[in-house]
Amino acid sequence: MSENYKFDTLFLDRDGVINVHRPDDYVKNWNEFIFEANVPEAIKIISGYFKRIIIVTNQRGVGKGIMSEEELRNIHDKMCEIIISHGGKIDAVYYCTDKDENSPDRKPNTGMGLQARKDFPDIDFSRSYMVGDSPSDMEFGRRLGMNTVWIKKDPGIDSLMDFAEMIINNHLLP
């Protein structure tokens, strides 16, 4: 791992961490996507500490036929463009459209993480973090041996910017 980075890989959930979660609904198009407060700025900060940043997100709305995979890719493309325009980075976005809870790719199962390591063979899960807002995100991270941060549940971590400030203040273990 490059000496320029304190941490290996940051895995981020999308809904509720990067964008505002829509209870009992899905972000079906770009017009419904709203960034959580200060997310592009937080990712810019975080980008200086992590070798790579990867989004892992369950997107069952595609499997249910509520939205198309093309629309999902459009949302992710625009989301990444804005993050990059603010000086941040997103190295990859993995999503699972399966409806089946037992799908190997659906969090908390580890398929998206294993695919990421296949695409980036030097990922060291033990030096990586999973930041999410649900029990399945935390279980996903634990199953892969990552450190986990639960937005709105862990003390003092109510947003991705809070996580960035913890990094700046050296309150995370490498």
Side-chain angles (χ1 to χ4, degrees), residues 155-169:
I157 309 278
D158 291 325
S159 69
L160 200 54
M161 186 57 86
D162 290 340
F163 178 70
E165 289 172 2
M166 284 189 71
I167 294 170
I168 291 169
N169 294 321

Side-chain angles (χ1 to χ4, degrees), residues 68-109:
S68 70
E69 194 164 354
E70 180 180 346
E71 193 59 54
L72 180 63
R73 283 193 300 270
N74 181 52
I75 291 166
H76 290 160
D77 289 347
K78 289 184 179 186
M79 172 190 69
C80 290
E81 285 172 19
I82 290 172
I83 290 168
I84 291 165
S85 76
H86 281 80
K89 67 179 176 186
I90 299 294
D91 295 282
V93 177
Y94 297 93
Y95 56 86
C96 178
T97 61
D98 297 342
K99 293 188 298 182
D100 181 2
E101 291 291 334
N102 297 315
S103 166
D105 293 328
R106 187 168 178 75
K107 291 182 291 178
N109 297 319

Side-chain angles (χ1 to χ4, degrees), residues 28-41:
K28 298 175 289 301
N29 58 61
W30 179 247
N31 294 332
E32 295 178 349
F33 186 96
I34 301 168
F35 278 104
E36 287 278 358
N38 302 312
V39 162
E41 296 82 2

Side-chain angles (χ1 to χ4, degrees), residues 101-148:
E101 291 291 334
N102 297 315
S103 166
D105 293 328
R106 187 168 178 75
K107 291 182 291 178
N109 297 319
T110 58
M112 287 187 279
L114 296 175
Q115 182 61 50
R117 188 163 63 187
K118 183 178 176 188
D119 294 342
F120 302 95
D122 63 330
I123 286 179
D124 179 352
F125 289 126
S126 71
R127 294 182 44 81
S128 298
Y129 276 80
M130 173 64 205
V131 175
D133 70 331
S134 72
S136 68
D137 294 330
M138 299 303 97
E139 183 64 23
F140 168 84
R142 284 191 295 272
R143 287 179 181 182
L144 290 166
M146 288 187 245
N147 301 289
T148 58

